[in-house]
Amino acid sequence: MEVYDKVRKLSEVHGNPCTSKITYGTAGFRAKADTLDHVFFRMGLLSVLRSKLKGATIGLMTTASHNPECDNGVKLVDPMGEMLEESWEPLATKLANATNDELVDVLQEIVSSQKIDMTAQASVFAGKDTRPSSEALGNAARDGVMALEAHFTDFGLLTTPQLHYMVVCKNTHGKYGEATQSGYYKKLSEAFNKIVAENGCTGDLIVDCANGVGAPKLKELAKLVSSNLKIHVVNDGTAGKLNEGCGADFVKIQQRAPNGMELGANKRCASYDGDADRLIYFTLNEKEQFVMLDGDKIAALIASIFKDLLKEAGIELEVGVVQTAYANGSSTNYLRGTLLIPVSCTKTGVKHLHHRAKDFDIGVYFEANGHGTVILKPEAEEKIRESAGKVEGVKQSCVSTLLAYIDMINQCVGDAMSDMLVVEAILSTKKWSIQDWATMYTELPNRQLKVKVADRSIFKTVNAERQLTSPVGLQEEIDSVVSKYNNGRSFVRPSGTEDVVRVYAESDTQEHADGLAKEVESLVKKFSK
Ligand code: NG1
Ligand code: ZN
């Protein structure tokens, strides 16, 4: 049977009910799970076209990250572990929304506009999170891949960053590592153990896995680092619901501990999100107050260790940090003013941060919500590797520590497990408690709100999403409200993943940050009518 006939036949099984339009956004497609069957089938098809075009393996991840359990989503991973190239997002949207009758025409249109050789080989790697709907949706994607007669490798349950890792390992023919789960755990744990064994056991760490896929995966990793770090997994999916009252997003937004966790002064606690690509730390201080260490603080910790190690090793490379507008103002000031590290600001969405981080020899990028990693220019990595054979003594040990950090980092994408080991290793080398880390700088109190509006597309932003150009007149009113607050800063942007407008506000006290957020929320409502 001709492949397009196969597509037609299977598209009857995975038909588009044409009840709503869906858009490929920052996090791929995300919606209620029971509306997505045809979308998954079609993303299976699209991943094959992309694979044929690139002559490389493409990743397909089934997850809706921190969204509620009833949602699901799909995103494609490009050959070097990056998010799907932006120019393909409209193609994905068009294919997902085509009627059943239009499907093959749209597919052929993509083949001809992208000049895809349909006789080329194709391979797709798939992974999924623990949502009840993930299995069936993953199978719909598999049907799409099979319809176009491509090679399909199903890894089953994986964290999002693990899938990115597998794709890169495969496409670099093992140079980045072995494309297996055991290869992943081995690479990370060996690097961690190497650094930490010299400094002694770092004690206990309690990790809330959001009742998601991070739980079984972290339990595997924990076994391999147990002599140097005691990891206790809570919210492991055996009792609670995914992302309900737990997980990195809950902790960050609610600014409080997740369910199922007992805090204590100086006790190290952390939360992952539902697909384990975000990481947030928290603890209680001596006054029993909740203290959160978010993506900004993780970035500051990692950037500082890289800067120190490079200096001690006598290697000249520039370390820079990339943030978004959600970064706390104190973190930006601390990085620039105290650590003397350059900071760039981009639009929300990791693909923007990842791209900008390439401007630096060593680019540390994190969203405040705990999603981020470190990337090195190949020349920078080479320079560090080369210096290993040329220096001695303390310098030599700094270079070998740097190389261990490089092995521990998942350069493909933000990775909660990898970032967590990096943080733990740094605390161990610096002999810092979580409280020492927390006092690197003090955050300005802040508040994030979601506002439901009739049409969020009327909100248009510029200047890395820090200012609005539409609705006309709203920005001026926000500016005027902000000017009344000490250290006030606030901005408004439409969410790319939820049907809401987000308001962010910070000021000198929590009361003021809350007040500013409320005032801006009222303005948003006023201009949405
Ligand atoms: P939106 O919904 O566009 O704000 C959220 C996060 C992003 C990013 C994406 C993808 C915030 C404020 N926004 O995007 O940083 O992580 O989800 O999951 O945290
Ligand atoms: Zn996530």
Side-chain angles (χ1 to χ4, degrees), residues 362-379:
I362 300 178
V364 180
Y365 71 85
F366 269 86
E367 294 188 306
N369 61 34
H371 188 144
T373 187
V374 184
I375 57 172
L376 288 94
K377 279 188 182 157
E379 315 83 91

Side-chain angles (χ1 to χ4, degrees), residues 26-28 30 64-67 75 83 249 252-253 273 275 277-278 324 326 347-350 353 367-371 448 456 465 491 493-500 502 504:
T26 20
R30 247 183 232 186
S65 183
H66 54 280
N67 284 38
K75 55 187 166 189
M83 306 289 172
D249 196 57
K252 174 68 182 159
I253 304 288
D273 71 337
D275 61 339
D277 59 3
R278 292 191 190 180
T324 72
Y326 290 98
K347 290 203 286 188
T348 301
V350 279
L353 287 101
E367 294 188 306
N369 61 34
H371 188 144
Q448 257 194 67
R456 76 188 199 280
E465 300 178 318
F491 64 91
R493 57 175 280 281
S495 160
T497 60
E498 287 177 72
D499 190 14
V500 295
R502 295 195 200 282
Y504 176 87

